[in-house]
Amino acid sequence: MRIAFFGPPGAGKGTQALMLADKTKHKHISTGAMIRDAMKAKTPIGEAARTYMDEGVLVPDHLVQQLAQLAIEENQLDCFILDGFPRTLPQARWLNAFLAEHGTPLHAILSLVVPDEIIIDRLSKRRVHAETGVNYHLDFKPPPKDIDPSLIIQRPDDKPEAIRKRLAVYHQQTEPIESYFRDIGLLIEVDGVGTFDEVQHRIDVAIEKARERYYAALER
Ligand code: ADP
Ligand code: ADP
């Protein structure tokens, strides 16, 4: 399957995309994680992205598209789970055109629906492992006691000022592309409020729906 997770920062895209990738053995492609890796490695893309990322604004489309294209091609375009890409209309149009060119269109965009007040709680209490990038939440998924606490950090863009900025950026630049995906019949909304397992179950149901819809369209 070729799936993309969509939704505001903190909706649980990374968490659910990883759980799904683990279960299905599909490749998890997170543009956020790729940008953070590029920043750590001080590559030209990483250096160009740094100020945008730390301030909580979107990294320019051409840089993110390069990273996404490399990761998708590396995986021979077959099965993948995109997380946090596309996030702008130009990215969405580019992705559709790129996949159509290769005859491997998306099966679905899963939109995780979570209200802003829960988003703010999730982001402000998110912590990550400095080396592995694994995500935790201070209340709902606390870091295991045997991990050196100095390795558990808060992302610079999870500080209150950057959270406010990212939510505004989401509502202005990313949310509008939902209607684009709805119009081309790819969008499936999933309630993202609930326990990790409840949300996972709703995602399984949504994927089944996407699969049926995809094969029904092929038979027509
Ligand atoms: P979150 O998990 O909170 O949604 P990500 O790790 O996906 O955050 O992204 C963190 C930051 O990386 C974004 O705020 C943005 O600066 C940059 N980024 C990630 N994906 C994209 C994208 N598709 N387009 C532009 N910028 C992106
Ligand atoms: P995104 O990738 O959309 O930014 P994450 O997957 O990083 O979101 O989740 C944001 C924070 O919320 C993390 O701290 C994560 O542990 C927590 N989280 C994710 N899903 C849930 C959930 N269903 N209930 C409570 N907390 C959650």
Side-chain angles (χ1 to χ4, degrees):
M1 296 283 278
R2 291 176 293 276
I3 303 282
F5 276 95
F6 181 84
K13 302 181 297 294
T15 303
Q16 293 296 334
L18 269 171
M19 286 161 79
L20 185 64
D22 219 39
K23 203 162 64 175
T24 57
K25 306 293 168 227
H26 284 18
K27 178 159 169 172
H28 171 221
I29 302 176
S30 156
T31 43
M34 288 166 76
I35 299 168
R36 279 185 289 278
D37 286 348
M39 279 163 52
K40 262 193 214 158
K42 297 195 161 65
T43 67
I45 292 184
E47 290 303 301
R50 191 179 300 276
T51 47
Y52 299 100
M53 178 107 167
D54 286 349
E55 277 179 28
V57 296
L58 294 181
V59 172
D61 291 334
H62 69 280
L63 297 177
V64 191
Q65 279 165 205
Q66 280 178 50
L67 291 173
Q69 179 169 350
L70 277 175
I72 295 171
E73 281 177 343
E74 219 172 68
N75 203 39
Q76 287 148 1
L77 301 123
D78 191 16
C79 302
F80 53 79
I81 301 165
L82 284 169
D83 161 10
F85 183 90
R87 259 174 153 111
T88 63
L89 196 53
Q91 289 176 20
R93 292 202 168 118
W94 171 83
L95 179 69
N96 267 348
F98 174 71
L99 293 178
E101 213 177 279
H102 293 85
T104 53
L106 283 178
H107 293 87
I109 301 269
L110 302 184
S111 171
L112 289 180
V113 182
V114 180
D116 280 1
E117 58 285 7
I118 295 185
I119 289 298
I120 291 166
D121 172 84
R122 286 189 184 172
L123 289 178
S124 52
K125 294 184 183 161
R126 173 161 65 184
R127 296 293 181 273
V128 294
H129 191 289
E131 286 166 3
T132 62
V134 171
N135 274 349
Y136 298 101
H137 183 282
L138 292 180
D139 300 333
F140 300 118
K141 193 184 164 200
K145 296 264 181 296
D146 58 349
I147 296 183
D148 174 358
S150 68
L151 288 175
I152 302 297
I153 57 162
Q154 186 172 32
R155 280 172 35 177
D157 58 346
D158 280 345
K159 302 271 161 66
E161 189 48 36
I163 291 178
R164 273 193 293 277
K165 186 70 178 269
R166 286 160 70 208
L167 267 176
V169 166
Y170 172 76
H171 290 304
Q172 276 162 17
Q173 290 177 264
T174 304
E175 206 170 26
I177 69 173
E178 244 188 346
S179 54
Y180 167 78
F181 286 121
R182 190 175 288 113
D183 290 348
I184 57 174
L186 278 183
L187 192 85
I188 302 183
E189 284 186 325
V190 176
D191 179 2
V193 181
T195 65
F196 292 76
D197 289 346
E198 281 165 352
V199 179
Q200 186 185 33
H201 175 70
R202 291 178 202 140
I203 287 169
D204 288 343
V205 172
I207 288 179
E208 207 37 56
K209 180 173 160 189
R211 198 194 302 275
E212 282 167 13
R213 212 170 51 178
Y214 184 82
Y215 290 109
L218 284 186
E219 279 167 19
R220 255 183 251 133

